[in-house]
């Protein structure tokens, strides 16, 4: 029973805090990946450069800094045409979906995660991201409805006060 209550409280906390299962990345990891890419540019194989760039892209779209996320999105979009394998394409599309999710463009993120699932329908990471996006859209809709309802109530109270004040003056 206690475990069920704990899970319920955690889910309520996540609902209001926007918690999700997507990991965050700190600036030290981004910096380390940037150094790794710089080193790989000094004559490493194309495969190693590509791996380093993918790690940097991962770090950027998982960053807490919006400018990093935008940079990661730009890197991934620029590299999509050069993807050789379906697996590599799937990974890049998934990371783009994460980037768009982190930047608040849930519609674009959902569209990209659907493309991932077309390539690999049972890919657990993509399925989790899709559910996270749906939960976020639902939560934002519920909060939006609450805000709208509060605004309508406030307007109604204000209008009622005006009518009451005018009727007293007569």
């Amino acid at each position: 029973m206690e475990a069920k209550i704990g899970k319920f409280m955690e889910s309520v906390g996540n609902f209001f805090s926007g918690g999700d299962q997507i990991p965050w990345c700190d600036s030290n990891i981004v910096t380390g990946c940037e150094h790794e890419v710089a080193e790989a540019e000094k004559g490493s194989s194309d495969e190693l450069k590509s791996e380093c760039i993918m790690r940097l892209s991962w770090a950027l779209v998982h960053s807490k800094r919006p400018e990093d996320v935008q940079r990661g999105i730009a890197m991934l979009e620029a590299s999509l045409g050069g993807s050789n394998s379906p697996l590599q394409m799937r990974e890049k599309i998934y990371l783009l979906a994460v980037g768009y999710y982190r930047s608040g463009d849930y519609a674009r993120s959902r569209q990209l995660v659907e493309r991932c699932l077309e390539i690999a329908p049972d890919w657990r990471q993509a399925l989790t991201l899709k559910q996270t996006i749906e939960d976020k859209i639902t939560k934002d809709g519920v909060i939006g409805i609450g805000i709208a309802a509060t605004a309508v109530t406030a307007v109604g109270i204000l209008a009622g006060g005006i009518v009451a004040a005018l009727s007293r003056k007569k």
Side-chain angles (χ1 to χ4, degrees):
M1 181 67 171
E2 230 174 88
K4 285 184 180 180
I5 292 172
K7 272 192 153 197
F8 173 75
M9 294 306 286
E10 181 182 331
S11 69
V12 168
N14 284 342
F15 178 83
F16 288 108
S17 69
D20 57 48
Q21 303 299 318
I22 302 169
W24 290 100
C25 184
D26 67 23
S27 59
N28 293 335
I29 294 172
V30 171
T31 302
C33 289
E34 289 170 333
H35 290 299
E36 195 178 75
V37 168
E39 286 298 315
E41 293 290 329
K42 296 178 182 175
S44 297
S45 69
D46 288 342
E47 187 177 331
L48 180 60
K49 287 179 199 175
S50 179
E51 288 175 19
C52 292
I53 290 170
M54 280 300 289
R55 280 194 289 277
L56 175 58
S57 298
W58 184 96
L60 289 170
V61 298
H62 287 86
S63 174
K64 291 184 178 185
R65 296 178 44 194
E67 58 273 15
D68 285 346
V69 174
Q70 291 305 314
R71 204 168 56 135
I73 290 171
M75 284 177 63
L76 288 160
E77 285 180 340
S79 71
L80 268 180
S83 297
N84 299 331
S85 70
L87 178 63
Q88 195 177 51
M89 179 67 85
R90 178 190 82 168
E91 292 291 327
K92 288 179 181 181
I93 293 170
Y94 173 79
L95 289 176
L96 263 175
V98 170
Y100 280 110
Y101 173 80
R102 288 285 188 226
S103 66
D105 188 345
Y106 306 123
R108 180 77 173 125
S109 181
R110 181 171 40 187
Q111 180 185 42
L112 289 165
V113 84
E114 289 291 340
R115 280 183 58 195
C116 288
L117 292 169
E118 287 172 9
I119 296 168
D122 57 345
W123 189 22
R124 194 170 297 181
Q125 262 185 303
L127 290 167
T128 300
L129 178 57
K130 181 180 178 183
Q131 185 61 54
T132 301
I133 294 164
E134 298 299 331
D135 291 348
K136 183 69 171 170
I137 290 170
T138 300
K139 177 186 143 197
D140 286 356
V142 168
I143 290 172
I145 290 169
I147 291 169
T150 302
V152 168
T153 303
V155 168
I157 291 171
L158 181 62
I162 291 170
V163 168
L166 290 175
S167 65
R168 285 188 199 141
K169 287 186 177 185
K170 291 183 179 183

